[in-house]
Amino acid sequence: MKYSNSEWEARVDLAACYRLMPLFGMSDLVYNHITARIPDTDDEILINPYGYMYEEITASSLIKINIKGEVLDNPHADGTSINQAGYVIHSAVHASRHDVGCVIHTHSRAGMAVSAMECGLLPITQTSMRFKDIAYHDYESVAIDMDEQQRLVADLGHQDAMILRNHGLLVASPSIAEAFNAMYWLEMACRAQVDALAGNTKLIIPSAEVVDKTHHLYQPSVRRPFGIMEWPAMRRYLDRRDASYKD
């Protein structure tokens, strides 16, 4: 087998994550990225081939790069490679946060809408309260400048989610399972906010004490790391539709 068992499992999980994203309305044609650190490595990352839609990604089509952006393994003989903007954002997070195993970045409609709101993400739903301490990063144009990396990671800090102003959403989680879960609920929080604001009526904002309590209950050490329990069900959901992501 070309890959170790641990790398292959990471490839299958990452391909599954890619395939799930469009099923829940979180893809953007051939753009955006989900990256995963290969287990037992410090600087080896899996990323999608640029030009493929998420629904086309398979375990064997993923490209292996290092933190420097050097391609270590590319199964595509036709010249297909990676998107530089994806490398700039994702490698910055992986390089600075060794607790992060997976990074997801999206340009969803609701995520972009909230990213353009001066108020940011409001604590108006239980789902949004999970992200009470969400980080923010100001827009600096298309992410191709390497010097933006230090500002991006400084703004992210130790948080697991960030709104890229005028741009989109980002989550940084210990595992692929947790990252998908975090992005799904962040996306739902943004959709709920856009819908609520469109109602043109006064919003109910819970007290700071209630928001803090709810946020606390979502912390991985309090009840459980959200996403781990759910992941087998997400894999089964995908298997019922298309198991070719395992190829």
Side-chain angles (χ1 to χ4, degrees), residues 94-125:
H94 284 291
S96 65
R97 292 278 301 275
H98 296 287
D99 61 314
V100 170
C102 181
V103 178
I104 302 178
H105 169 45
T106 64
H107 292 166
S108 68
R109 181 174 176 177
M112 289 190 292
V114 173
S115 79
M117 296 178 183
E118 185 176 356
C119 63
L121 186 64
L122 298 171
I124 57 173
T125 62

Side-chain angles (χ1 to χ4, degrees), residues 114 117 119-120 122 124 191-201 203:
V114 173
M117 296 178 183
C119 63
L122 298 171
I124 57 173
R191 292 184 191 181
Q193 178 166 319
V194 171
D195 289 346
L197 291 175
N200 195 29
T201 187
L203 302 180

Side-chain angles (χ1 to χ4, degrees), residues 77-198:
D78 60 0
T80 298
S81 192
I82 67 171
N83 180 9
Q84 179 67 15
Y87 158 72
V88 170
I89 291 175
H90 289 250
S91 65
V93 178
H94 284 291
S96 65
R97 292 278 301 275
H98 296 287
D99 61 314
V100 170
C102 181
V103 178
I104 302 178
H105 169 45
T106 64
H107 292 166
S108 68
R109 181 174 176 177
M112 289 190 292
V114 173
S115 79
M117 296 178 183
E118 185 176 356
C119 63
L121 186 64
L122 298 171
I124 57 173
T125 62
Q126 175 175 282
T127 305
S128 64
M129 293 176 210
R130 172 178 176 174
F131 303 100
K132 178 181 76 74
D133 295 331
I134 195 166
Y136 293 88
H137 175 65
D138 288 339
Y139 188 60
E140 298 187 25
S141 190
V142 178
I144 58 175
D145 296 327
M146 297 300 292
D147 64 352
E148 185 181 355
Q149 288 187 319
Q150 60 184 5
R151 293 183 291 277
L152 187 146
V153 298
D155 288 337
L156 178 62
H158 295 289
Q159 299 303 325
D160 63 355
M162 182 161 67
I163 292 178
L164 306 173
R165 297 281 194 186
N166 309 103
H167 189 171
L169 307 176
L170 183 144
V171 298
S173 302
S175 68
I176 295 167
E178 290 165 277
F180 177 80
N181 184 271
M183 182 56 79
Y184 175 83
W185 289 116
L186 179 55
E187 172 69 15
M188 292 302 107
C190 289
R191 292 184 191 181
Q193 178 166 319
V194 171
D195 289 346
L197 291 175

Side-chain angles (χ1 to χ4, degrees), residues 54-73:
Y54 277 15
E55 64 188 22
E56 297 180 279
I57 301 299
T58 65
S60 59
S61 72
L62 293 161
I63 296 175
K64 185 193 305 187
I65 63 173
N66 61 22
I67 294 295
K68 298 178 182 179
E70 299 167 336
V71 175
L72 305 178
D73 178 66

Side-chain angles (χ1 to χ4, degrees), residues 5 25 40 42 47 49 51 58 60 92 113 135 150 167 177 192-193 205 218:
N5 289 337
D40 305 318
D42 291 327
I47 191 170
T58 65
S60 59
Q150 60 184 5
H167 189 171
Q193 178 166 319
I205 306 292
Y218 274 113

